[in-house]
Amino acid sequence: MKLKEALGLSDKEVICLVGGGGKTTIMFALAHELAMQTRGIVTTTTTRIMVPTATETEKLLVADGGDALLEQVAAELHRYRHVTAARGIDTGDKLYGISPETAMALARLQEVSHLIIEADGAARRPLKAPRDHEPIIPPNTTLVIVVVGIDAFGSPLDEEHVFRSTIASDLLGVPPGTIVDAEIMSRLVTLPA
């Protein structure tokens, strides 16, 4: 079964990926699948992600101003089926994410069929505890996909396996080092945003 079918996607979806490690991989896998069927796929972040490789995206578009980025995306989607958009690149080869307002404007572009957003970071750990300002989900989001790394199952609640493990421990009311089981996983991913 294809991801599009499994997720019940239709046109003009705004999809946010949140949670543990693996979001970027899922984002680009979904974008590739959709780009095989249609044009107008845009991947981006509202936080920060590594600069994508040429195998992950057809074209990287970077512009500091929202309007300039919108113009680039609209123009390049006539040439490419899938583009990645960001507002800048830091010195560590990470893309600076776009604002929720820019995400909303991108989704309104006629040329955009699907907008896929990585909406929080997990420092490549299978589980994470959110900060107060996370995830950064635009109001026009139609689907939120929560990602959890199964490799956290049976691991201790520590920094090696859970991003911000001390916060997770406090939020869950369990001591650091508690073994992550199905209950811990489900409680962590269903904490109020």
Side-chain angles (χ1 to χ4, degrees):
M1 175 180 279
K2 300 284 186 188
L3 287 170
K4 180 179 179 180
E5 295 160 1
L7 297 170
L9 299 181
S10 57
D11 290 341
K12 299 304 278 183
E13 296 273 7
V14 178
I15 304 156
C16 284
L17 293 127
V18 301
K23 295 180 299 291
T24 305
T25 301
I26 293 168
M27 177 172 71
F28 288 122
L30 179 57
H32 282 273
E33 180 184 304
L34 291 169
M36 291 175 64
Q37 301 170 13
T38 189
R39 304 185 70 81
I41 312 305
V42 178
T43 48
T44 190
T45 182
T46 51
T47 58
R48 294 189 324 156
I49 59 171
M50 293 300 296
V51 172
T53 65
T55 59
E56 291 174 318
T57 191
E58 289 182 86
K59 182 75 174 173
L60 174 60
L61 307 172
V62 178
D64 193 24
D67 289 341
L69 189 59
L70 294 173
E71 289 171 15
Q72 283 186 30
V73 168
E76 295 297 342
L77 283 177
H78 290 287
R79 295 178 43 194
Y80 300 98
R81 298 175 80 79
H82 167 217
V83 301
T84 298
R87 67 176 169 87
I89 302 175
D90 73 11
T91 56
D93 287 334
K94 283 200 169 191
L95 298 179
Y96 287 117
I98 63 173
S99 69
E101 294 76 23
T102 300
M104 291 171 61
L106 276 171
R108 287 192 296 268
L109 290 175
Q110 177 183 339
E111 294 85 359
V112 175
S113 66
H114 295 85
L115 179 60
I116 309 169
I117 303 166
E118 185 169 324
D120 68 359
R124 299 181 183 262
R125 308 239 189 30
L127 283 174
K128 71 165 289 183
R131 284 190 179 159
D132 292 341
H133 65 279
E134 290 181 325
I136 304 171
I137 299 175
N140 62 334
T141 299
T142 58
L143 176 66
V144 175
I145 300 171
V146 179
V147 178
V148 176
I150 194 68
D151 50 335
F153 190 77
S155 299
L157 184 61
D158 60 17
E159 251 338 274
E160 182 180 342
H161 302 96
V162 181
F163 187 47
R164 301 188 192 112
S165 62
T166 304
I167 295 172
S169 179
D170 290 345
L171 290 170
L172 297 169
V174 299
T178 298
I179 299 301
V180 175
D181 59 13
E183 180 185 350
I184 295 283
M185 281 184 156
S186 65
R187 286 178 55 209
L188 192 56
V189 300
T190 57
L191 287 169

